[in-house]
Amino acid sequence: MVKDNVLAPTPAKILKSENMTEIEKHIELEILDKEIAKNFVYKPGQFVEVGVMGVGEAPISICAARKKEDLLELCVRKVGRVTNAIHRLNVGDILWIRGPYGNGFPMEKMEGSDLLLVAGGLGIAPLRGVLQYALSNREKYGTITIMYGIRCYTAMLWRDEFLHLFYEGDKINVEFYLSYEDSSDRQCYELQCERSDRCMQGVVTRLFGLKEVEPENTYAVICGPPIMYKFVIQELMKRNFDPKKIYMTLERRMKCGVGKCGHCIIGSGKNIKYVCKDGPVFTYWDALNTKGMI
Amino acid sequence: MAESEKPKIGIFSLTGCGGDQLMILNMEPVLLELLSRFDIKDFQEGSSYKEEGELDIALVEGSVSTKTDLERLKEIRERSKMLIAIGDCAISGCVQAMRNGQMSMAERMKKVYGVDEDYYDVLEPKGLSSYVKVDLEIPGCPIEKDEILHAITSLLHGDMPEGIDYPVCVECKLNGYPCVLVEKGMPCLGPLITAGCNARCPGLGLDCIGCRGPIPEEANVAAEVKVLLEKGYDEKYIFNRLRFFGGNFEDVQNLTKKFSEKTEKEEEE
Amino acid sequence: MYKVLANENLPAFFESLKKIGKVYGPVKVRESSYDFREVESLSEVDLTYTRTMIPPKKFFVKPKETIFDFDEEKLEFKEPPDEEVKVILGVHHCDINALKILDSIYMDETPDKYYIQRRNSSFIIGVSCTPDEYCFCKSVGTSYAQDGFDLFLHEISRGYLVRIGSEKGYELINDNKDLFEDAKPEDTEEFKQNEKERLEAFKLELNVSGIQDMLGLSYEDPVWKETADDCFGCGTCNLVCPTCRCYDVVDYVGLSLKSGERVRRWDSCMLRKHGLVAGGLNFRPTRVERLRNRFNCKGSFTDGSLSCVGCGRCTVYCPAGISFVEVMKKVRGEL
């Protein structure tokens, strides 16, 4: 094991691998080198480079708050070579990881405020970390509102967890809103019939019709497919949100994770950013100042 | 590994020189180890043994240039889980497609063989993907040993091999080969052509003739024409050169058409 | 500290370099190309060269290299061995300044181990140059290397005026005292005169004042489409650029399927896959976005310095004949 080499990954054993949908797996990893595990301190919104030897590495966001020092939770969607290879592996197999990388969400800065988490599809993964962190420090945050947009019921990630919040969240001051795109989805329709104040058919921005968002004391945290940001931000700006209080996390091809390989560079001459080290979490203010960010 | 667990593979030829199968046979240092990983059901240049039935992988070289080719291809596709086109012929028709979009097959028969009859049931030479679903294409005329080895190893490992979609220029620079286009004004097609040959020709001071084919949906053919015209090459020479391996490429066809329309007009005038 | 190395001592100086490590210098390759290659004797080196196609970055971030071999069964991987000491003789001002930019990236808070090892085991000797019609380092402020070298040789009639840039450089001079003498007033005069003439010899100029805002304001400018029509997207401009440092990583697995290597290779933001993410979304789908990105990146600051050092390589070696300065002038509205 080479410790001074940022490109050298460390082995992590798959403890749990659960199919959440046809294409998404929830994977729990144990970092084998305990010395490395001790220093593997991460916060919500950070990511790791996950590798399969002989195939390559892919940046995957961490989807849970840190509970135990050698434990890491990831949600892996099968979309490319590496993620396909990850999906082939079983409990007990080894993944090679590097990280954690990126800035993560400024959880301390958001203390004392309400949180509005807006997620589309797989975008819920990094926000789950934010949610878990906020729930384990419940007194530090106000109302937590979650707006989660899915395609259909079967594409919903961590379904049990989130349905529990959907029904019971209010007891811990968590308001969970759900939107679904597939108008023929029966299960979602039933949820909508049960709680028409919390569930709607359509894109995630429709949920703003169900919830009065208070811009004064709220931090918005967004993650979803690239197309989603523009529309969610439109809604927030309509409500006079401070651009510096809108956080979003971006996807790019972060091959090295440490600001060297250049694949995640965005912006113009005025303001060049590396998504991997300057982000992946940026504010809308950053986006206004950085061309091509969203 | 028990014989029954090995992936079943077939290696087939349609219209072409058979050079791609030969390249596989040329992989001497690893050939036995490589072949021992597979249950080989058909490999014409390697063995006279043949077996029908389902295949995990079919490697097919050669273009579809006759109706017989097409029937064989459909048959192979039907029996194979994965179909891989190996070599330019199987991807774009290669040199057989030189006059595609420019001259009908009847005209070609007349010009080459001096006959009006179609003795061979010919089709305009095309790659496999014009007719069937192709899972992977490995370019080359012939294919490169390293590339096919990496591709097959990746497949054994369970991964789809990653194709190269950058031009020969990249390999010239990685190797530090002086640019024959810029420095010597040679009619190098390198900026258009799919790399993977490790810039073999420019490395020897020769200009790339484009044997690995233009990068699909990426090569800027118009820019190449412009550059070569500026360097003093005449249009006919440029288009013949582009057509040698790129006859089936849409941009090459369109630009040739524009060029020949222009020439016709000039001749009329 | 300044010394003079007389012409007659040059061969002995070269021999002294060989004691430090393998010596690399600009060598003429084919008709008009130069390349930094390993040299055995001074006669192989042409210190009056204009520019090499491939900049000295190749010694530190290699065009293609194995970053480690892995063995999955043993949960092991092996790094390549450390590199031996290299003397790189004849590096121009612009290239030395470019290395400083690479340093700020590769030796930041998450440093690249390979880069550091190679940088620390290199001995850099700069040499003065005369600009040709493609050089514009004067315009971007990199026409003079203040530091970033061990020794710098400025040509004067009786040899070279030598600037000492590091302790290593000082040691070499100290170990070979006989070869060096103190600079005389006429040497200094000549050095000053030469510098004056050199700076006057620049033919190409690019105004970079406010270029960052101009690039930002020209995001939708037709210049990108116009340039993209001529551009091959071949990546040459990036690969020959002394400050471009993008790399790609590819794994190769051996036939055993248990061992293999991870390889990195220079990449280019002009290539199709550069902005592609898994699932097929490409953030820079056409040459228009890619060109714009490249020019914006070059026009931005890295650690306080402009990311272009004005060496002219991207223009000289562009197969499509696209001129960097011309495009930037269009961005500025000067053309």
Side-chain angles (χ1 to χ4, degrees), chain A residues 128-146:
Chain A
R128 182 173 173 262
V130 175
L131 176 68
Q132 287 188 351
Y133 182 95
L135 289 180
S136 57
N137 296 277
R138 193 68 196 89
E139 69 292 349
K140 291 182 181 163
Y141 302 92
T143 305
I144 301 172
T145 305
I146 304 162

PDB file of all heavy atoms in Angstrom, chain A residues 128-146:
ATOM      1  N   ARG A 128     -29.091  12.569   0.490  1.00  0.00           N
ATOM      2  CA  ARG A 128     -29.383  11.661   1.610  1.00  0.00           C
ATOM      3  C   ARG A 128     -28.336  11.847   2.712  1.00  0.00           C
ATOM      4  O   ARG A 128     -28.645  11.787   3.904  1.00  0.00           O
ATOM      5  CB  ARG A 128     -29.370  10.210   1.116  1.00  0.00           C
ATOM      6  CG  ARG A 128     -29.693   9.167   2.166  1.00  0.00           C
ATOM      7  CD  ARG A 128     -29.820   7.810   1.504  1.00  0.00           C
ATOM      8  NE  ARG A 128     -29.978   6.724   2.453  1.00  0.00           N
ATOM      9  CZ  ARG A 128     -28.977   5.938   2.861  1.00  0.00           C
ATOM     10  NH1 ARG A 128     -27.746   6.150   2.420  1.00  0.00           N
ATOM     11  NH2 ARG A 128     -29.216   4.954   3.709  1.00  0.00           N
ATOM     12  N   GLY A 129     -27.094  12.107   2.276  1.00  0.00           N
ATOM     13  CA  GLY A 129     -26.031  12.384   3.246  1.00  0.00           C
ATOM     14  C   GLY A 129     -26.332  13.654   4.028  1.00  0.00           C
ATOM     15  O   GLY A 129     -26.151  13.713   5.238  1.00  0.00           O
ATOM     16  N   VAL A 130     -26.794  14.682   3.310  1.00  0.00           N
ATOM     17  CA  VAL A 130     -27.148  15.949   3.957  1.00  0.00           C
ATOM     18  C   VAL A 130     -28.264  15.700   4.967  1.00  0.00           C
ATOM     19  O   VAL A 130     -28.201  16.145   6.116  1.00  0.00           O
ATOM     20  CB  VAL A 130     -27.621  16.988   2.903  1.00  0.00           C
ATOM     21  CG1 VAL A 130     -28.113  18.257   3.576  1.00  0.00           C
ATOM     22  CG2 VAL A 130     -26.494  17.294   1.914  1.00  0.00           C
ATOM     23  N   LEU A 131     -29.271  14.964   4.528  1.00  0.00           N
ATOM     24  CA  LEU A 131     -30.429  14.680   5.390  1.00  0.00           C
ATOM     25  C   LEU A 131     -29.995  13.922   6.650  1.00  0.00           C
ATOM     26  O   LEU A 131     -30.358  14.295   7.770  1.00  0.00           O
ATOM     27  CB  LEU A 131     -31.452  13.861   4.593  1.00  0.00           C
ATOM     28  CG  LEU A 131     -32.683  13.397   5.362  1.00  0.00           C
ATOM     29  CD1 LEU A 131     -33.552  14.597   5.740  1.00  0.00           C
ATOM     30  CD2 LEU A 131     -33.504  12.386   4.557  1.00  0.00           C
ATOM     31  N   GLN A 132     -29.186  12.873   6.428  1.00  0.00           N
ATOM     32  CA  GLN A 132     -28.750  12.081   7.580  1.00  0.00           C
ATOM     33  C   GLN A 132     -27.954  12.929   8.568  1.00  0.00           C
ATOM     34  O   GLN A 132     -28.119  12.835   9.780  1.00  0.00           O
ATOM     35  CB  GLN A 132     -27.898  10.899   7.114  1.00  0.00           C
ATOM     36  CG  GLN A 132     -28.722   9.816   6.444  1.00  0.00           C
ATOM     37  CD  GLN A 132     -27.894   8.580   6.162  1.00  0.00           C
ATOM     38  OE1 GLN A 132     -26.669   8.590   6.310  1.00  0.00           O
ATOM     39  NE2 GLN A 132     -28.566   7.524   5.750  1.00  0.00           N
ATOM     40  N   TYR A 133     -27.079  13.764   8.022  1.00  0.00           N
ATOM     41  CA  TYR A 133     -26.279  14.615   8.882  1.00  0.00           C
ATOM     42  C   TYR A 133     -27.177  15.547   9.686  1.00  0.00           C
ATOM     43  O   TYR A 133     -27.036  15.701  10.897  1.00  0.00           O
ATOM     44  CB  TYR A 133     -25.281  15.422   8.044  1.00  0.00           C
ATOM     45  CG  TYR A 133     -24.378  16.297   8.862  1.00  0.00           C
ATOM     46  CD1 TYR A 133     -23.116  15.847   9.248  1.00  0.00           C
ATOM     47  CD2 TYR A 133     -24.772  17.570   9.269  1.00  0.00           C
ATOM     48  CE1 TYR A 133     -22.272  16.645  10.016  1.00  0.00           C
ATOM     49  CE2 TYR A 133     -23.952  18.378  10.038  1.00  0.00           C
ATOM     50  CZ  TYR A 133     -22.701  17.908  10.407  1.00  0.00           C
ATOM     51  OH  TYR A 133     -21.886  18.699  11.177  1.00  0.00           O
ATOM     52  N   ALA A 134     -28.137  16.150   8.981  1.00  0.00           N
ATOM     53  CA  ALA A 134     -29.031  17.107   9.650  1.00  0.00           C
ATOM     54  C   ALA A 134     -29.888  16.396  10.699  1.00  0.00           C
ATOM     55  O   ALA A 134     -30.137  16.941  11.772  1.00  0.00           O
ATOM     56  CB  ALA A 134     -29.907  17.805   8.620  1.00  0.00           C
ATOM     57  N   LEU A 135     -30.313  15.173  10.388  1.00  0.00           N
ATOM     58  CA  LEU A 135     -31.152  14.452  11.346  1.00  0.00           C
ATOM     59  C   LEU A 135     -30.354  14.024  12.575  1.00  0.00           C
ATOM     60  O   LEU A 135     -30.881  13.996  13.681  1.00  0.00           O
ATOM     61  CB  LEU A 135     -31.795  13.228  10.682  1.00  0.00           C
ATOM     62  CG  LEU A 135     -32.895  13.538   9.655  1.00  0.00           C
ATOM     63  CD1 LEU A 135     -33.450  12.259   9.060  1.00  0.00           C
ATOM     64  CD2 LEU A 135     -34.011  14.395  10.259  1.00  0.00           C
ATOM     65  N   SER A 136     -29.067  13.725  12.368  1.00  0.00           N
ATOM     66  CA  SER A 136     -28.298  13.332  13.549  1.00  0.00           C
ATOM     67  C   SER A 136     -27.824  14.552  14.330  1.00  0.00           C
ATOM     68  O   SER A 136     -27.250  14.426  15.406  1.00  0.00           O
ATOM     69  CB  SER A 136     -27.124  12.419  13.158  1.00  0.00           C
ATOM     70  OG  SER A 136     -26.313  13.068  12.216  1.00  0.00           O
ATOM     71  N   ASN A 137     -28.032  15.751  13.757  1.00  0.00           N
ATOM     72  CA  ASN A 137     -27.771  16.986  14.502  1.00  0.00           C
ATOM     73  C   ASN A 137     -29.053  17.810  14.469  1.00  0.00           C
ATOM     74  O   ASN A 137     -29.053  19.000  14.152  1.00  0.00           O
ATOM     75  CB  ASN A 137     -26.637  17.775  13.841  1.00  0.00           C
ATOM     76  CG  ASN A 137     -25.313  17.044  13.875  1.00  0.00           C
ATOM     77  OD1 ASN A 137     -24.591  17.093  14.874  1.00  0.00           O
ATOM     78  ND2 ASN A 137     -25.003  16.330  12.808  1.00  0.00           N
ATOM     79  N   ARG A 138     -30.154  17.130  14.796  1.00  0.00           N
ATOM     80  CA  ARG A 138     -31.480  17.680  14.537  1.00  0.00           C
ATOM     81  C   ARG A 138     -31.701  19.075  15.098  1.00  0.00           C
ATOM     82  O   ARG A 138     -32.320  19.939  14.480  1.00  0.00           O
ATOM     83  CB  ARG A 138     -32.577  16.731  15.086  1.00  0.00           C
ATOM     84  CG  ARG A 138     -33.971  17.068  14.579  1.00  0.00           C
ATOM     85  CD  ARG A 138     -34.084  16.790  13.091  1.00  0.00           C
ATOM     86  NE  ARG A 138     -35.231  17.423  12.445  1.00  0.00           N
ATOM     87  CZ  ARG A 138     -35.198  18.645  11.914  1.00  0.00           C
ATOM     88  NH1 ARG A 138     -34.125  19.407  12.002  1.00  0.00           N
ATOM     89  NH2 ARG A 138     -36.260  19.147  11.294  1.00  0.00           N
ATOM     90  N   GLU A 139     -31.170  19.315  16.305  1.00  0.00           N
ATOM     91  CA  GLU A 139     -31.440  20.607  16.963  1.00  0.00           C
ATOM     92  C   GLU A 139     -30.805  21.779  16.210  1.00  0.00           C
ATOM     93  O   GLU A 139     -31.198  22.927  16.388  1.00  0.00           O
ATOM     94  CB  GLU A 139     -30.963  20.558  18.424  1.00  0.00           C
ATOM     95  CG  GLU A 139     -29.461  20.496  18.665  1.00  0.00           C
ATOM     96  CD  GLU A 139     -28.770  19.201  18.234  1.00  0.00           C
ATOM     97  OE1 GLU A 139     -29.472  18.214  17.910  1.00  0.00           O
ATOM     98  OE2 GLU A 139     -27.529  19.181  18.203  1.00  0.00           O
ATOM     99  N   LYS A 140     -29.821  21.485  15.353  1.00  0.00           N
ATOM    100  CA  LYS A 140     -29.106  22.576  14.678  1.00  0.00           C
ATOM    101  C   LYS A 140     -29.825  23.104  13.436  1.00  0.00           C
ATOM    102  O   LYS A 140     -29.419  24.104  12.867  1.00  0.00           O
ATOM    103  CB  LYS A 140     -27.715  22.109  14.273  1.00  0.00           C
ATOM    104  CG  LYS A 140     -26.781  21.871  15.451  1.00  0.00           C
ATOM    105  CD  LYS A 140     -25.413  21.454  14.976  1.00  0.00           C
ATOM    106  CE  LYS A 140     -24.496  21.203  16.171  1.00  0.00           C
ATOM    107  NZ  LYS A 140     -23.327  20.442  15.779  1.00  0.00           N
ATOM    108  N   TYR A 141     -30.830  22.381  12.999  1.00  0.00           N
ATOM    109  CA  TYR A 141     -31.510  22.802  11.765  1.00  0.00           C
ATOM    110  C   TYR A 141     -33.009  22.940  11.999  1.00  0.00           C
ATOM    111  O   TYR A 141     -33.581  22.263  12.856  1.00  0.00           O
ATOM    112  CB  TYR A 141     -31.238  21.795  10.643  1.00  0.00           C
ATOM    113  CG  TYR A 141     -29.762  21.637  10.359  1.00  0.00           C
ATOM    114  CD1 TYR A 141     -29.025  20.643  11.004  1.00  0.00           C
ATOM    115  CD2 TYR A 141     -29.101  22.507   9.496  1.00  0.00           C
ATOM    116  CE1 TYR A 141     -27.656  20.524  10.793  1.00  0.00           C
ATOM    117  CE2 TYR A 141     -27.741  22.398   9.277  1.00  0.00           C
ATOM    118  CZ  TYR A 141     -27.018  21.394   9.924  1.00  0.00           C
ATOM    119  OH  TYR A 141     -25.671  21.292   9.714  1.00  0.00           O
ATOM    120  N   GLY A 142     -33.622  23.823  11.233  1.00  0.00           N
ATOM    121  CA  GLY A 142     -35.065  24.032  11.343  1.00  0.00           C
ATOM    122  C   GLY A 142     -35.832  22.981  10.561  1.00  0.00           C
ATOM    123  O   GLY A 142     -35.425  21.821  10.491  1.00  0.00           O
ATOM    124  N   THR A 143     -36.896  23.417   9.907  1.00  0.00           N
ATOM    125  CA  THR A 143     -37.696  22.491   9.102  1.00  0.00           C
ATOM    126  C   THR A 143     -36.862  21.973   7.927  1.00  0.00           C
ATOM    127  O   THR A 143     -36.161  22.740   7.270  1.00  0.00           O
ATOM    128  CB  THR A 143     -38.934  23.221   8.537  1.00  0.00           C
ATOM    129  OG1 THR A 143     -39.641  23.806   9.631  1.00  0.00           O
ATOM    130  CG2 THR A 143     -39.844  22.261   7.780  1.00  0.00           C
ATOM    131  N   ILE A 144     -36.956  20.663   7.734  1.00  0.00           N
ATOM    132  CA  ILE A 144     -36.265  20.106   6.563  1.00  0.00           C
ATOM    133  C   ILE A 144     -37.337  19.728   5.550  1.00  0.00           C
ATOM    134  O   ILE A 144     -38.208  18.900   5.835  1.00  0.00           O
ATOM    135  CB  ILE A 144     -35.427  18.869   6.939  1.00  0.00           C
ATOM    136  CG1 ILE A 144     -34.386  19.247   8.008  1.00  0.00           C
ATOM    137  CG2 ILE A 144     -34.749  18.284   5.696  1.00  0.00           C
ATOM    138  CD1 ILE A 144     -33.625  18.069   8.586  1.00  0.00           C
ATOM    139  N   THR A 145     -37.279  20.373   4.386  1.00  0.00           N
ATOM    140  CA  THR A 145     -38.238  20.062   3.328  1.00  0.00           C
ATOM    141  C   THR A 145     -37.503  19.303   2.232  1.00  0.00           C
ATOM    142  O   THR A 145     -36.440  19.737   1.786  1.00  0.00           O
ATOM    143  CB  THR A 145     -38.832  21.355   2.745  1.00  0.00           C
ATOM    144  OG1 THR A 145     -39.378  22.108   3.836  1.00  0.00           O
ATOM    145  CG2 THR A 145     -39.903  21.046   1.722  1.00  0.00           C
ATOM    146  N   ILE A 146     -38.065  18.190   1.840  1.00  0.00           N
ATOM    147  CA  ILE A 146     -37.453  17.415   0.756  1.00  0.00           C
ATOM    148  C   ILE A 146     -38.420  17.383  -0.419  1.00  0.00           C
ATOM    149  O   ILE A 146     -39.597  17.051  -0.234  1.00  0.00           O
ATOM    150  CB  ILE A 146     -37.149  15.967   1.215  1.00  0.00           C
ATOM    151  CG1 ILE A 146     -36.261  15.996   2.461  1.00  0.00           C
ATOM    152  CG2 ILE A 146     -36.479  15.166   0.094  1.00  0.00           C
ATOM    153  CD1 ILE A 146     -36.255  14.695   3.221  1.00  0.00           C
TER     154      ILE A 146
END
